Amino acid sequence: MLPLSPKAQRTRRTILEASKKIIIDEGLNALSMDRVSAVAKLSKGAVMYHFHSKRALIRALFQDYADHLDAELREHEALFDGTSDETLVPAYVDWFKDFVKDDKGWATVGMLLLPAYCYDDEIMAPVREWYRNIYARIEAMPVERRARTVMAIMMLEGFFNNHKLGIDLLSPAVKEETWSYVSNDFLPKDAKRKGQPEVKTE
């Protein structure tokens, strides 16, 4: 497959952003090629040129969702000094803090797309691959870190899902206490944010 021209890349991005907007504003059932065409301000032919069917569009949305997960984790891991074993959990914590402030519509997109297609192996493949890579990182960790990292990640996934479901009702103070405990006390050693001074103990 030939690489897309910059113009084609922009058109595809316009279509994906229009699709995302429809899902957020109107729900997944409102997503159709005609509706995407109207919201994207493109002809239906242009939409169909890039995505030959609604299923192809859904596949692209799942890839976009997985790319979003990857970009967010990479961005937040880059804020910390340490090995890849040490940066994973602090990055997850920092990512969730930003997600709560502004999830940019991804909470709605995730909660509508994932349950609707969770049994469709082809469409779910990019998201499953992203999680498979996370779990492979954990399984490669030293045994003294591995189980605790699994527990920390699953707890943080719970925070993400509570936010997506609108039941993120813990007070900010309790959440901060929890995140601090996970980042600083729960694991044998975790990375520190870049530029953060070392705390010397007697």
Side-chain angles (χ1 to χ4, degrees), residues 49-84:
Y49 175 82
H50 289 278
F51 302 102
H52 301 308
S53 65
K54 182 178 176 180
R55 183 174 177 83
L57 177 59
I58 293 290
R59 280 201 306 268
L61 284 167
F62 269 79
Q63 184 62 62
D64 199 45
Y65 185 78
D67 291 345
H68 157 74
L69 296 177
D70 196 56
E72 288 291 325
L73 183 58
R74 287 176 184 274
E75 177 184 330
H76 286 89
E77 281 201 87
L79 299 174
F80 293 89
D81 284 317
T83 68
S84 62

